[in-house]
């Protein structure tokens, strides 16, 4: 159960980090511009979520196994966000080519 919780928290952190970048927020919400303070809050929350994910796993499995599991969880979460951004970006590029 801790592994699933850690994954969800890490995924939340990865999504927030992604959406705090201008390029990715434009992919998901065209026309949206985030203020500087919103970006800072999103990034701080994202890093806190990533740290919380590590804490969850270290407390449940110890330092050695917990950090190893964290590396795996972080890899899967980052891969999921990267694939979602990639698929979303590819769909927008196809739409641009057809209209031109």
């Amino acid at each position: 159960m801790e592994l699933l919780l850690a994954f969800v928290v890490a995924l939340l952190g990865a999504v927030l980090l992604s959406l705090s970048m201008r390029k990715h927020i434009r992919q998901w919400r065209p026309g949206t511009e985030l203020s500087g303070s919103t970006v800072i809050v999103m990034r701080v929350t994202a890093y806190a979520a990533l740290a919380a994910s590590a804490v969850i796993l270290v407390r449940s499995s110890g330092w050695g196994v917990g950090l190893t599991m964290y590396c795996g969880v972080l890899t899967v979460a980052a891969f999921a966000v990267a694939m979602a951004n990639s698929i979303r970006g590819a769909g927008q590029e196809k739409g641009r080519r057809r209209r031109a």
Side-chain angles (χ1 to χ4, degrees):
M1 190 52 117
E2 289 87 5
L3 184 62
L4 181 61
L5 176 63
F7 172 72
V8 170
V9 172
L11 185 62
L12 172 69
V15 167
L16 282 173
L17 270 181
S18 174
L19 291 179
S20 70
M21 296 178 205
R22 186 173 292 137
K23 175 183 176 183
H24 298 305
I25 194 68
R26 285 182 184 160
Q27 282 179 335
W28 290 97
R29 305 266 319 197
T32 301
E33 286 292 325
L34 299 177
S35 67
S37 60
T38 302
V39 169
I40 290 172
V41 168
M42 287 175 73
R43 288 182 182 171
V44 168
T45 305
Y47 287 124
L50 294 174
S53 177
V55 168
I56 290 168
L57 291 172
V58 167
R59 292 193 87 187
S60 69
S61 302
W63 282 101
V65 175
L67 288 178
T68 303
M69 291 171 68
Y70 176 67
C71 287
V73 162
L74 191 58
T75 300
V76 173
F79 183 76
V81 171
M83 288 297 101
N85 283 334
S86 177
I87 291 168
R88 180 72 175 199
Q92 287 181 347
E93 288 175 12
K94 284 182 182 176
R96 286 187 200 133
R97 280 189 232 143
R98 274 189 244 139
R99 290 181 196 149

